[in-house]
Amino acid sequence: WDVPLGGAKGDGKSGTWGGHAIPLVAYDETGFTCITWGKPLKMTPAFLQAYCEEAYAVVSNDWLAKSGISPPGLNMGALMSEMHNLTL
């Protein structure tokens, strides 16, 4: 998914298709990978910026150590602080 040259218009304008909740499962230097209709699909950062209305981060407390830090070093307190201040 990408935004067409000249921006979204007609049926492709933001807000014309209704809501569609999708998980973003990966990212790289070219954009994001989501799962939609049971299949992975790439989307550009421009598409996400144009069409994303809200976002959620799902983190399981079971994944965090007693100290509140996950095995790869995710700090839940820092994450929550950053999420609270996040805006697009």
Side-chain angles (χ1 to χ4, degrees):
W1 283 333
D2 198 0
V3 178
L5 285 173
K9 52 189 158 222
D11 288 342
K13 275 189 168 179
S14 181
T16 60
W17 286 37
H20 184 67
I22 55 170
L24 297 181
V25 297
Y27 67 94
D28 60 27
E29 63 279 348
T30 64
F32 304 91
T33 300
C34 69
I35 303 296
T36 182
W37 299 105
K39 296 181 180 180
L41 183 67
K42 293 286 288 187
M43 70 172 64
T44 65
F47 184 90
L48 188 66
Q49 182 72 32
Y51 293 100
C52 181
E53 294 177 352
E54 54 190 75
Y56 302 90
V58 179
V59 179
S60 170
N61 283 328
D62 294 336
W63 189 54
L64 300 172
K66 289 180 182 179
S67 66
I69 298 174
S70 73
L74 175 68
N75 181 306
M76 184 60 116
L79 174 65
M80 294 305 294
S81 178
E82 289 177 23
M83 292 297 290
H84 178 73
N85 293 318
L86 182 66
T87 61
L88 287 176

